[in-house]
Every structure is written in structure tokens, then in C-alpha cells.
């Protein structure tokens, strides 16, 4: 595996087929898009708290611009930040390293996947600059509003938005096929099904969920594009179409999509928790089976997004049952994570703080979902700020906390330097505390009946009260504080990269294979590909002197039924 | 089974002549499904059209795509997608497949045969009067 | 830069060769794309009685002929695979080009069908039935075209005796395109 | 809990509030328990000198019960929540009152609401219907059916004080019901994004006592409609 020849800048950074470089490309594109999405949220939160002001750095927010900002904030954060960073970036970087092979099975398809993704991002960004701006029909793009320029007033923005989303789906389909095949086929010798790190299982299951759920929406997107550009009537009730069809196509994808981004984040958290609690995961198979159950159930709950959208009311009962049933495997996952901490020896450094805060915050998001899944209560809560607060309490832990947990944990491996722990903690507290102050007021506003996607509540007498404005201002100011603290991370990132001192191969004493490669791993990862002897979470085994037992170290497997405890080893507990 | 033996069996089961046989059966089935509607019996047409389509698809998958000798895994993957489509259909049909349901009705006026055959239809999708 | 195929590609933990495994996953994703479209069509079709009058205007003979063409090209590609397995690259190359020819005939018939329909004013905008007709056959036609292009590239490799395993992969894809047509044919042409 | 922020002005507003409170307390117990255990573990099992971590696979029977018992408990609580949710849902969305007093027509478009009130004859779609823009006039303690339609894109008819929300779909007529129980004036919202003017589509619901409502009817019945009706009843 010698790649001794000197590679040019273009070969190394732009047209690379190396999985780590492609992962980084995804990550930095995702971060760049997140900055745009973050700027959008800054603009419209300012408008909501101080209606009518000229927002510094943007100007006055018109209703048309407001819709576009909200729509693209949602679209970007889910499709161009959460997905590329959590699945594509971590998936690309981690899958070959953790299963012990030299690259993805189809490196060139992998490169193509990123290039299509980049193209989709460019199309989306370009759509903000066309006449009348970007699409403003919400990220769900319900027709007929999204289908006809006469209704949405963005004759170019809407099709560009749709094309960007469709391209992005194609990119992730290509990437997903690569992830799935790589993990199924390219595992190191000895890495059987139950010896794969949980994070990989979850990334791959997420890819499968994505692949299976997105198909109908791709067909639906083609139909919507024809409605927009050619004037067909797929979704136009006047011409014999049906707008509800799109809602079903969208949410048939849209709900599994929640799990598509949730699972990788949960996987990252699982690995971090095991390492820093020095504990074996509390029931590896329990996690796996819960995730299977979640994956299957996630396909039969979609219509809870549409309870009051005019679907047949009888169907709502069915979907209430399935929606509440999905709480069982998800709760079980949370219990397993909490139980993993039991009896541990927990180090609270930055990655672990992020991982634990993921659990703390995600629980809030999880339990508030019950209100919305219960059809009766959803009649009132649908499309209020309660929903907004709920899904931000799931998506912020997933996308932002999950990302920070992953990047702080794998930073030494990816970049070969250590992050500053003290700055990391400042950044952590500066993010987590304002985050709660943004969204708890929104729960209150939602309970009081404030509905979504309104650029100015002055027009609604019951909502234009002073006490509500106070809550909106609290949320906006907290947002500003949270954004400000992100600069601490940027500073830390840059400062750590410029450090002279190199990171050790395995700074956390972790078991999984990626820590046996150099930091950062060269093209080809290992001079000789590793072999696996045991599961990834054998921490603090009583028969060992040290509290870890790497996967690659030759020797017995304690999970083997024939495993004999060597009596000469004194018990360490 | 050793790889060599598997390879051997692969060959015997799939000589070129066998593919031609299957192709002939497929063509006969195709003939039936084209001629079927000429009888103008609705249930018979449904059987000749969709029943035979299923048989044809099954044969192509089994013998041409070699799903019959592929590992079960591939079959599970494909079967799962079909199940998923079934879920998709059952979840959506109550809203899209019918002109009315509980507490709602469609206002779309179905064009008649003359509407369709005359060329006047197309703008005639008037809503029922309020 | 010389691209080196990684060791990962040659591994096979499941026992299914990587390229074939990937094709199965591609098919899984394609099934749901076409499935979503076909299911949507089916629901609309059962909703709208008037669509049976519209469906009567399609040309079952053209559709039937195209089914024949695709079935035959499927035979060719499986023979190409058979030849490739026996390392008979010349025969394999020839059969691949027969298959591409089949795809070409299919596309020609498609063009004839489209133009005659459009000349009789059955355009995409006439009703949602026709929108579905053009979208479904168009999406399928797009897959036929892609298959033809990929096959032409693979044929060049086969001629040089390289990457023979790809004949099987593209073959499976081509059969899948065939299977989709087997379902589109009764849905759009036969059922009145 | 909702009533602390918003008045109840329909018969079923209380049902939704009770459902919300019920779910809230069930969920709160689980939430506090889970977070409590999480924080306790974080504190109790922090890294200490000379204390090694336990080796627990989580697959031992003695440990597995800590997962499986809560698992079944959640199922039990889920059944309660499902039952409550379906009861409320059935009452509001599936069931229609047997003897509704009046029917109102609600038509949404970009970006206004048109409300069609039955005139003095109490029937909708007759000559003396009263059409108003962005104002819905209702009589207290009267059971109404509504017929919801949309002319262009999706809208959603939401009256927070009724706890009622229903999307309007072009090409469809959706029927539902409500019974106002309190006089007053509140917001009607459009809660489905409907274009530029989505935030400029406020309407108000005016609920009056029977006497006041009669007065309003008299004042607003179109003159010609009244004459036509009089002519029809006195041939």
C-alpha cells in the first residue's frame, strides 16, 4: 500500500478519492452551509423579537424574505448540515478506519457523491440570489403553494430549491450505497456482526433508512418539478391531481429522515460514553435490536405530521398508535445509555460533556414529542411554536451537540493534534445554557397558541402582548449569546491545528481500530490491515491489568462462550 | 460447498440453451397478455395483464438475475422494499384513492367519456358550485 | 493520477461479491423510486374512472413490441454474462452490443409513440393520466439510456478482457429495467 | 395548563387541556426519573482514585431487568395516552353532532378568510347568507358545523381558544364542528404557510349571546336578500 508519489494540491485536497479527505470535504461544506443557516436564524429571530427593525448585516425583513429565510434555514440545517456532517463526514472518516480496511469499496463513486453534493449546495446558495429570492414555502414544500409561481412568487427560487434537494438525495444515495456495501463486505478479518462498533451500525442503518424512504419522494420531486416547470397537474386538484399525495410522499421520507440523522448522533454518543465511562455498553444487542425496531417502526408513523392536514380522520388513530409505540425502543435506547454510566469511572472532558448533554437535552425533545404524537393534543399543538421547540430539542442535540461530541472526540485522529480542553469546556457551557434559554420560552409561546412561520405577530391581537414579546426577546438574545460562543470553538480549532505538538495515536485509550492508525492516518490507513479479536467495548475487564482491551490485540475474546478466565490474573476490582 | 463446486453447479444450471428456453416462455406469456384484453372480459384482462406480469417478473428475477442461486440476503433486501411499498400504499390510499372519506369529500368533477374523447376537456375541471 | 483499487473492494465478508452487492442495493433504491411512482399512479387510476377512457388511447401494440424488444435484450445480456463467465470476451462483447441495439430499438419505438401521441394532442398536459404516462415511461426510458451508455463503456473494457465481473452487474441492472417495463406495460397499455 | 395562557371558549377545549395535563404529568414523572438517574450516575460514578469501573455486559439477567421492566411500564403508559388521545380525537374530528344548530361556510384564499353565515332562516346557501371577510360571528352555546374549503393553496383554520385546527385543501370540502361557550372576541389564525401574506391573514371570531347575535344578524342581512326572502315567504 505505498502511495509514495507526491500528490499535487488538486489531487490531495480537491479530487481526492481518499475517504478521509472526502469526509473532511463533506464536513467543511456542511459547516459552511451551517454558517449560512445560522445567519438566517439570526436574521429572522431578530425580526421576531424586534419586528420591523433593520437587522444589522441584513436590513429590513420583508414577508417574502422572511418566508425564504425560514424555509432555507430548515432545509440547510437538515439537508446540508446534519446529513453531510453526521452521516457523510463521520461515515466516510470512520467506516473504513473502524472496520479496518484501507478505503471505501468504491472510492470514485464516493468522490462523485461529494461532487454532486457540492453542486447541490451551490444550486441552493445560488437560489438566494435570483429575482425574488429563494423558495419560501417551508421546507416541506407543500403544493399547490410550491407548485405554482403565481402562488409562491418565486418562479426561479422554487425549482432551484427542488433541484438542489433532488441532487442532494442523489449524492446521499451514492454515498449510502458505498457505506452499506463497505460495512457489509469490507470488514477486517474477525470482525463479525456483533464486533462492529455501534456508531457504524447506526450510520449504516441510517443510510439504509434513507435509501428506502427517499425513493417515493424522488419520484414525487420529479412530479413536482414538472408541475413547476411544465405546468402538469399532479398536485393540482383542479386538474385531477391531489395535493395530499405530496404530503404523504414527503413525510414517508420525512419521518424516517429524523431517524436518519438521529441514529449517527446516538452512535457517536454511545462510543464516547463507553470510552470515558470505561464501561462496556449496557447491552450491545439491546441497542441493536432497539435500533432495528425503531427503523422498522419509523416507516409506519409518518402521517402524524399530517393529523390535521386533511387526511382521513380514521387514519389518525392508526398513526397515533404506531407513533406512541416508537417511544418504546427509543426510550429503551436512552435507558441503555444511562445504564452504561452505572458503575463507571467517568472522566468529564469535552467530548464526554457533549455526550452527556446530548442525553439530557434529547430527553426533553423526546418527551415533548409524546404530546404531538397523541392525535387529540396535536389538534391544538400542530404548527405552533411547541412543535418548533420540540424538534429543535431533538435536532440541536442531534446535529450540533452530536457534531461537537464527534469532532472533539475524533479531532486527534482526524487532524493529529489535541484540542484544548479548557476552551472546549467554555464553548460547551456557552452553547448549552443559551440553547435552553432559546427554546424553553418557545415551549411557553407555543402553549399559548403562537403559530409558526409568521413574520410579525403585530397583526394577531392575542399574540402581540408585551409578555410574549419578553419571551421572544429572551429567545433572541440567548441565540446571540450562543452564536457568539461558537467563535470560541473556531478559535480553539484554529489554535489547536497550529500547535506543534502532535497528538498520540490513542489519547483516550480507546479499543476501536481507528486508534491503531497514525494520527492523522495516511492514504491507505495502515501499512498492514488489522485483524479483530473481540468486541469494541471491552473496558475494565476484570481479567486485565489495564482497563482497556483493544480489538486488534491478539488474544481471547471474553464474549466467546468458551472463554476461560485466566486464574493467575488477580481481579482488579 | 467449496467455491469451485459452486462454480461448477452455476454452470450446469445455466447453460446458454436454458436461457433461450426461458426467453421463449416469456414471449409466450407476453403474447397471452397482449391478446388477453381482446376477449373484453374485465376480470380476465386483469389476470392476463397483472397475473402474467408477476409471473414474467418473477422469471426474469429468478433466472436472468440469478436470484435463485444468489445468497438469501439479496432476496431479503429486495423483498423488504416490496413490503415497504405495500405499507406506503395502505397508508396513503384512504386519502388519495377515493373521492370521499369521513367528514370530507372531493369537489373534483370527473370528466365523462365524451369529455375525454372530445378535445374540449382540459379546462373543464370546474368545481362543484358552492 | 493512477487510481489504485483499494483492498476493501476485493473483500467479501457477506459472500456476495462487492459489485453485485452494490447492484442489489441500487436496485432496492430504484424499486422504491419506481414503486413510489407506480403506487401513486395506481391510486389515481383507481380514483378516477375517466382514466380508463384515457388509457384506451395508448398503443398496446407498440408497448407489446417494446416488451418483446426488452425481453430479447435481456436474453442477450444474460448470454453476454454467460460468455464473460467462460472468459469468451469476443462473444461477450458481441452480445453486449446486441443488448445496446435492443435498447436502441426500444428508444426508437418510444420516440415513435411519443410523437404520434403528441400529434394526436395527447400531450403531457391533457390530463394527469397523460402526465403519468410520460413521466413513468420517460423515467424508464432515462434508465434504458443510462444502461446503454454504461454498457457501451463496459463493452470497451470487455474487449480488452478487463473488469469482466461488471458484465454481470450491468446485466442485473438491465433485467431490472426490463422488470419495471413488464409492470408498466399492463398498467399503462393493457388495463382499460 | 394551557388554560393558564388561553381561555377556553368551546365545549371540547377542556378535553384537550385535560389530555395535555394528563400527558404532561405522565411524561414529567418519566423525565424527572430518567434525568435524575442520569445526573446521579454522573455524580456517583465520577472518576475517583483507586476505584475501577465495573464490568457489566448488560446481558446478565440480574441487570437486564433494569431495562426490561421500564420497557413494559412505558408500554402501559403508552396505552393510557393512546386511549386518551383517540377519545379526544374521535370527539373532535371523527364524530359529527347529530343535531347541529347552524352551519357556517369557511372559504380560505390568499390571504383572506371568507365566512358565510346563515341568515335569519338558519340555512346555509340561501339568499340571505351573510358573507364577511376576516370576521366570524357566532352565537354562544350553539353547535355549529363548518364546511371548510380553499380556493388556491393550503390554509389552516385555527381558533386557539376553541383548541381547533383544520387544514383547508383546495378541491376538497372538509366538515367539522364546534360549540362556542363564551362570549368575546379572539384571534383566528392561518397555521399552514400560504405564501407571502401568511403572516397578514389574521381574522377574528366574535362570539355573542343569542340576543346580541340576533341584532347583528338584523343589522347585516343584505337588504335585497331580506326582500327576496320576504317575497318568497308571502306569495
Amino acid at each position: 500500500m505505498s502511495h509514495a508519489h507526491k500528490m499535487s494540491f488538486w489531487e490531495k485536497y480537491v479530487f481526492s478519492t481518499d475517504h478521509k479527505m472526502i469526509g473532511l470535504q463533506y464536513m467543511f461544506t456542511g459547516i459552511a452551509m451551517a454558517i449560512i443557516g445560522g445567519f438566517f436564524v439570526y436574521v429572522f429571530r431578530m425580526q421576531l423579537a424586534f419586528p420591523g427593525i433593520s437587522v444589522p448585516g441584513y436590513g429590513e425583513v420583508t414577508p417574502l424574505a422572511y418566508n425564504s429565510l425560514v424555509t432555507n434555514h430548515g432545509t440547510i440545517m437538515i439537508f446540508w448540515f446534519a446529513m453531510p456532517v453526521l452521516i457523510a463526514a463521520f461515515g466516510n472518516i470512520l467506516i473504513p478506519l473502524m472496520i479496518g480496511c484501507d478505503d471505501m469499496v468504491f472510492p470514485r463513486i464516493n468522490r462523485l457523491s461529494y461532487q454532486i453534493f457540492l453542486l447541490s449546495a451551490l444550486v441552493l446558495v445560488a437560489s438566494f440570489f435570483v429575482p425574488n429570492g429563494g423558495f419560501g414555502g417551508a421546507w416541506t414544500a407543500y403544493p399547490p403553494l410550491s407548485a405554482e409561481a403565481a402562488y409562491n412568487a418565486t418562479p426561479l427560487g422554487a425549482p432551484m430549491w427542488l433541484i438542489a434537494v433532488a441532487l442532494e438525495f442523489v449524492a446521499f444515495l451514492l454515498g449510502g450505497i458505498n457505506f452499506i456495501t463497505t460495512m457489509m463486505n469490507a470488514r477486517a478479518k474477525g470482525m463479525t456482526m456483533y464486533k462492529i462498533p455501534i456508531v457504524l451500525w447506526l450510520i449504516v442503518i441510517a443510510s439504509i433508512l434513507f435509501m428506502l424512504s427517499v425513493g417515493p419522494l424522488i419520484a414525487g420531486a420529479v412530479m413536482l418539478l414538472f408541475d413547476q416547470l411544465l405546468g402538469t397537474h399532479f398536485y393540482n386538484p383542479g386538474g385531477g391531481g391531489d395535493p395530499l399525495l405530496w404530503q404523504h410522499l414527503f413525510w414517508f421520507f420525512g419521518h424516517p429522515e429524523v431517524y436518519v440523522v438521529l441514529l449517527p448522533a446516538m452512535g457517536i454518543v454511545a462510543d464516547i460514553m463507553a470510552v470515558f465511562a470505561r464501561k462496556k455498553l449496557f447491552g450491545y444487542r439491546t441497542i441493536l435490536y432497539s435500533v432495528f425496531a425503531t427503523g422498522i417502526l419509523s416507516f409506519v408513523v409518518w402521517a402524524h405530521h399530517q393529523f390535521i392536514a386533511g387526511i382521513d380522520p380514521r387514519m389518525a388513530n392508526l398513526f397515533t398508535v404506531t407513533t406512541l409505540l416508537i417511544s418504546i425502543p427509543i426510550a429503551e435506547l436512552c435507558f441503555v445509555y444511562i445504564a452504561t454510566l452505572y458503575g463507571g469511572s467517568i472522566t468529564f472532558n469535552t467530548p464526554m460533556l457533549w455526550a452527556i448533554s446530548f442525553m439530557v437535552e434529547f430527553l426533553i425533545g423526546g418527551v415533548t414529542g409524546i404530546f404531538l404524537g397523541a392525535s387529540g393534543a396535536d389538534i391544538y399543538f400542530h404548527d405552533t411554536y411547541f412543535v418548533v421547540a420540540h424538534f429543535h430539542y431533538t435536532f440541536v442535540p442531534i446535529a450540533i451537540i452530536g457534531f461537537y461530541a464527534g469532532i472533539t472526540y475524533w479531532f486527534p485522529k482526524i487532524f493529529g493534534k489535541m484540542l484544548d480542553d479548557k476552551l472546549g469546556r467554555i464553548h460547551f457551557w456557552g452553547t448549552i445554557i443559551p440553547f435552553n434559554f432559546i427554546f424553553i420560552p418557545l415551549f411557553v409561546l407555543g402553549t399559548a397558541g403562537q403559530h409558526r412561520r409568521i413574520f410579525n405577530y403585530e397583526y394577531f391581537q392575542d399574540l402581540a402582548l408585551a409578555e410574549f414579546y419578553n419571551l421572544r426577546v429572551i429567545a433572541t438574545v440567548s441565540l446571540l449569546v450562543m452564536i457568539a460562543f461558537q467563535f470560541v470553538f473556531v478559535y480553539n480549532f484554529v489554535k489547536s491545528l497550529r500547535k506543534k505538538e502532535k497528538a498520540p495515536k490513542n489519547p483516550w485509550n480507546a479499543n476501536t481500530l481507528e486508534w491503531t492508525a497514525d494520527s492523522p492516518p495516511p492514504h491507505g490507513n495502515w501499512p498492514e490491515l488489522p485483524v479483530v479479536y473481540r468486541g469494541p467495548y471491552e473496558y475494565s475487564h476484570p481479567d486485565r491489568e489495564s482497563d482497556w482491551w483493544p480489538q486488534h490485540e491478539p488474544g481471547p475474546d471474553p464474549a466467546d462462550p468458551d472463554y476461560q478466565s485466566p486464574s493467575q490474573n488477580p481481579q482488579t476490582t | 460447498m467449496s467455491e469451485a463446486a459452486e462454480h461448477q453447479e452455476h454452470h450446469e444450471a445455466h447453460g446458454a440453451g436454458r436461457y433461450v428456453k426461458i426467453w421463449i416462455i416469456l414471449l409466450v406469456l407476453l403474447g397471452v397478455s397482449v391478446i388477453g384484453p381482446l376477449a373484453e372480459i374485465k376480470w380476465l384482462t386483469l389476470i392476463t395483464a397483472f397475473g402474467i406480469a408477476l409471473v414474467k417478473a418473477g422469471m426474469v428475477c429468478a433466472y436472468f438475475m440469478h436470484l435463485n442461486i444468489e445468497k438469501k440476503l439479496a432476496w431479503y433486501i429486495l423483498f423488504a422494499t416490496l413490503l415497504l411499498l405495500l405499507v406506503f400504499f395502505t397508508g396513503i390510499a384512504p386519502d388519495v384513492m377515493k373521492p370521499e372519506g369521513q367528514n370530507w369529500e372531493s369537489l373534483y368533477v370527473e370528466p365523462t367519456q365524451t369529455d375525454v374523447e372530445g378535445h374540449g376537456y382540459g379546462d373543464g375541471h370546474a368545481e362543484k358550485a358552492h | 493520477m493512477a487510481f489504485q483499487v483499494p483492498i476493501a473492494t476485493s473483500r467479501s465478508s457477506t459472500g456476495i461479491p462487492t459489485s453485485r452487492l452494490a447492484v442489489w442495493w441500487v436496485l432496492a433504491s430504484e424499486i422504491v423510486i419506481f414503486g413510489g411512482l407506480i403506487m401513486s399512479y395506481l391510486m389515481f387510476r383507481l380514483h378516477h374512472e375517466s382514466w380508463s377512457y384515457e388509457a384506451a388511447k395508448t398503443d398496446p401494440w407498440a408497448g407489446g413490441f417494446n416488451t418483446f424488444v426488452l425481453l430479447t435484450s435481456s436474453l442477450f445480456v444474460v448470454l453476454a454474462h454467460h460468455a464473460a463467465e467462460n472468459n469468451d470476451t469476443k462473444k461477450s462483447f458481441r452480445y453486449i452490443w446486441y443488448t445496446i441495439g435492443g435498447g436502441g430499438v426500444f428508444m426508437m419505438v418510444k420516440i415513435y409513440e411519443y410523437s404520434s401521441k403528441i400529434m394526436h394532442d395527447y400531450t403531457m398536459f391533457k390530463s394527469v393520466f397523460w402526465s403519468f404516462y410520460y413521466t413513468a415511461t420517460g423515467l424508464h426510458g432515462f434508465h434504458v439510456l443510462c444502461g446503454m451508455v454504461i454498457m457501451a463503456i463496459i463493452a470497451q473494457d470487455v474487449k480488452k478482457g478487463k473488469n469482466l465481473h461488471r458484465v454481470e452487474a450491468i446485466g442485473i441492472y438491465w433485467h431490472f429495467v426490463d422488470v419495471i417495463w413488464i409492470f408498466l406495460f399492463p398498467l399503462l397499455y393493457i388495463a382499460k | 395548563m394551557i388554560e393558564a395562557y388561553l381561555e377556553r371558549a368551546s365545549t371540547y377545549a377542556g378535553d384537550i387541556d385535560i389530555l395535555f395535563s394528563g400527558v404532561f404529568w405522565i411524561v414529567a414523572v418519566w423525565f424527572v426519573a430518567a434525568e435524575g438517574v442520569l445526573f446521579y450516575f454522573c455524580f456517583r460514578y465520577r472518576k475517583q482514585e483507586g476505584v475501577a469501573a465495573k464490568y457489566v455486559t448488560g446481558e446478565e439477567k440480574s441487570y437486564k431487568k433494569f431495562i426490561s421492566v421500564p420497557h413494559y411500564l412505558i408500554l402501559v403508559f403508552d396505552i393510557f395516552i393512546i386511549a386518551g388521545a383517540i377519545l379526544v380525537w374521535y370527539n373532535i374530528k371523527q364524530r359529527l353532532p347529530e343535531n347541529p344548530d347552524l352551519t357556517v361556510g369557511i372559504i380560505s384564499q390568499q390571504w383572506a378568510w371568507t365566512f358565510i353565515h346563515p341568515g335569519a332562516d338558519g340555512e346555509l346557501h340561501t339568499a340571505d347568507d351573510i358573507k364577511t371577510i376576516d370576521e366570524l360571528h357566532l352565537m354562544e352555546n350553539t353547535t355549529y358545523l363548518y364546511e371548510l374549503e380553499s380556493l388556491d393553496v393550503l390554509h389552516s383554520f385555527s381558533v386557539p381558544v376553541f383548541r381547533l385546527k383544520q387544514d383547508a385543501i383546495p378541491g376538497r370540502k372538509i366538515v367539522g364542528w364546534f360549540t362556542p361557550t363564551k362570549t368575546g372576541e379572539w384571534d383566528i389564525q392561518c397555521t399552514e404557510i400560504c405564501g407571502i401574506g401568511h403572516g397578514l391573514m389574521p381574522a377574528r371570531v366574535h362570539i355573542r349571546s343569542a340576543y346580541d347575535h340576533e341584532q347583528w344578524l338584523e343589522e347585516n342581512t343584505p337588504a335585497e336578500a331580506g326582500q327576496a326572502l320576504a317575497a318568497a315567504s308571502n306569495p
Side-chain angles (χ1 to χ4, degrees), chain A residues 427-461:
Chain A
H427 170 229
F428 168 76
W429 291 110
T431 306
I432 282 297
I433 295 170
F435 160 60
N436 287 290
F437 277 96
I438 297 171
F439 291 107
I440 288 174
L442 298 192
F443 274 125
V444 177
L445 286 168
T447 312
Q450 174 174 316
H451 52 313
R452 293 168 73 180
R453 295 162 180 157
I454 301 297
F455 82 108
N456 188 342
Y457 289 96
E458 290 296 319
Y459 301 97
F460 295 89
Q461 293 176 36

Side-chain angles (χ1 to χ4, degrees), chain D residues 83-99:
Chain D
I86 290 181
L87 277 177
V88 172
W89 175 266
Y90 178 80
N91 182 35
I92 299 175
K93 291 285 180 183
Q94 287 189 260
R95 182 183 79 87
L96 289 183
E98 278 173 25
N99 299 306

Side-chain angles (χ1 to χ4, degrees), chain A residues 325 327-328, chain D residues 30 70-80 82:
Chain A
L325 284 184
S327 68
I328 295 172
Chain D
W30 281 100
H71 166 118
Y72 289 114
L73 282 177
I74 285 192
L75 181 63
V76 173
F77 282 102
D78 268 357
I79 290 171
F80 280 107
I82 290 171

Side-chain angles (χ1 to χ4, degrees), chain B residues 7 10-11 14-17 19-21 23 26-27 30 33-35 37-38 42 45-46 48-50 52-54 56-58 60-61 63-67 69-71 73-74 77-78 81-82 84-86 88-89 92-100 106 108 110-119 121-122, chain C residues 14-17 20-21 24-25 27-29 31-32 34-37 39-40 42-44 46-51 53-54 56-57 60-61 63-65 67-68 71-75 78-79 81-82 85-86 91 120-122 125-128 168 171-173 175-179 182-183 185-187 190-192:
Chain B
H7 200 69
H10 197 95
H11 265 254
H14 291 275
Y19 295 127
V20 177
K21 259 185 232 157
W23 173 69
L26 285 170
L27 291 191
L30 167 66
S33 63
V34 175
I35 296 166
L38 299 182
K42 196 161 187 185
T45 312
L46 285 180
T48 56
F50 295 102
I52 285 183
L54 281 174
K56 274 195 290 189
V60 172
C61 290
Y63 300 111
F64 283 0
M65 286 166 141
H66 296 129
L67 264 177
I69 52 163
E70 177 62 292
K71 290 237 188 287
L73 182 67
I77 294 170
L78 301 182
T81 61
L82 295 180
L84 201 63
L85 288 175
L86 194 70
F88 176 82
F89 187 86
I92 300 179
D95 295 317
V96 177
M97 205 171 78
K98 288 195 224 128
E100 85 280 298
S106 169
Y108 177 70
E110 201 67 42
T112 60
Q113 188 164 4
T114 39
D115 279 342
V116 173
E117 278 163 12
H119 288 282
Y121 156 72
Chain C
T14 53
I16 304 177
R20 205 159 77 205
L21 183 65
W24 292 126
W25 281 108
L27 295 202
S29 72
I31 289 177
V32 279
F34 277 105
L37 191 66
M39 290 295 168
S40 307
L42 205 59
M43 283 182 255
F44 275 44
L46 295 171
H47 180 163
H48 296 296
E49 278 174 28
S50 63
W51 283 23
Y53 315 130
E54 313 255 18
K57 306 290 177 208
W61 297 107
F65 179 71
T67 317
F68 163 74
L71 285 175
T72 312
S73 70
S74 253
L75 173 69
V78 83
L79 290 175
H81 167 215
H82 189 69
E85 259 187 353
N86 294 331
K91 201 167 168 190
H120 288 89
D121 247 11
Y122 294 107
F125 317 102
K126 187 168 179 295
S127 78
V128 180
E168 181 181 20
I172 293 175
Y173 169 86
H175 299 312
F176 167 76
V177 173
D178 187 11
V179 169
I182 286 175
F183 286 107
F185 174 57
L187 279 169
I190 300 281
K192 298 276 155 48

Side-chain angles (χ1 to χ4, degrees), chain A residues 2-199:
Chain A
S2 78
H3 291 262
H5 76 278
K6 195 90 179 128
M7 287 190 288
S8 73
F9 171 84
W10 291 95
E11 277 173 349
K12 194 166 174 196
Y13 296 105
V14 183
F15 297 110
S16 172
T17 53
D18 182 17
H19 67 100
K20 300 173 290 292
M21 188 49 66
I22 294 172
L24 286 179
Q25 289 172 340
Y26 265 117
M27 187 181 286
F28 286 113
T29 316
I31 292 171
M33 292 303 278
I35 292 170
I36 299 176
F39 176 70
F40 286 0
V41 69
Y42 151 77
V43 174
F44 69 71
R45 272 303 333 164
M46 289 297 277
Q47 159 71 15
L48 286 173
F50 315 105
I53 65 155
S54 173
V55 179
Y58 183 84
E60 222 164 288
V61 182
T62 63
L64 185 66
Y66 181 86
N67 284 349
S68 167
L69 290 170
V70 175
T71 301
N72 287 299
H73 166 72
T75 318
I76 287 178
M77 287 306 191
I78 290 172
F79 291 138
W80 279 277
F81 172 57
M83 289 203 42
V85 167
L86 288 172
I87 300 191
F90 283 119
N92 262 314
I93 294 169
L94 296 180
I95 288 178
L97 277 171
M98 288 180 118
I99 63 173
C101 66
D102 53 344
D103 207 328
M104 287 287 181
V105 288
F106 304 118
R108 284 170 293 185
I109 291 183
N110 207 14
R111 179 177 62 186
L112 180 68
S113 142
Y114 172 72
Q115 287 164 346
I116 296 178
F117 172 74
L118 182 65
L119 179 68
S120 76
L122 293 178
V123 172
L124 186 78
V125 172
S127 81
F128 309 148
F129 299 102
V130 298
N132 273 7
F135 175 58
W139 82 289
T140 52
Y142 286 175
L145 180 66
S146 59
E148 281 179 48
Y151 294 145
N152 59 37
T154 48
L156 284 172
M160 282 173 82
W161 180 90
L162 193 62
I163 289 169
V165 170
L167 281 176
E168 202 252 11
F169 290 161
V170 173
F172 282 118
L173 275 182
L174 291 176
I177 288 167
N178 226 336
F179 291 177
I180 298 166
T181 343
T182 305
M183 199 188 86
M184 285 177 81
N185 249 358
R187 297 194 301 270
K189 187 161 175 281
M191 186 173 266
T192 53
M193 241 174 85
Y194 296 114
K195 290 183 183 135
I196 303 170
I198 282 291
V199 58

Side-chain angles (χ1 to χ4, degrees), chain C residues 97-173:
Chain C
W97 272 103
Y98 289 166
T99 316
I100 298 175
V105 174
F106 179 88
M107 293 312 286
M108 301 295 276
V109 175
K110 212 65 281 156
I111 291 168
Y112 156 76
E113 254 186 273
Y114 278 11
S115 50
S116 71
K117 285 284 159 292
I118 290 169
M119 277 199 293
H120 288 89
D121 247 11
Y122 294 107
T123 60
M124 199 168 183
F125 317 102
K126 187 168 179 295
S127 78
V128 180
F129 172 81
W130 290 100
S131 309
F132 264 114
Y133 170 83
Y134 285 103
T135 310
T137 55
L139 193 65
H140 178 263
F142 175 71
H143 280 78
V144 172
L145 263 182
C146 289
M148 285 161 65
V149 171
I150 298 169
M151 245 184 271
I153 297 167
I154 288 175
Q156 286 312 306
D157 273 8
V158 168
K159 203 176 179 181
K160 291 176 208 147
K162 281 196 314 187
N163 293 329
L164 289 182
H165 63 279
R166 289 190 182 163
V167 180
E168 181 181 20
I170 189 67
I172 293 175
Y173 169 86

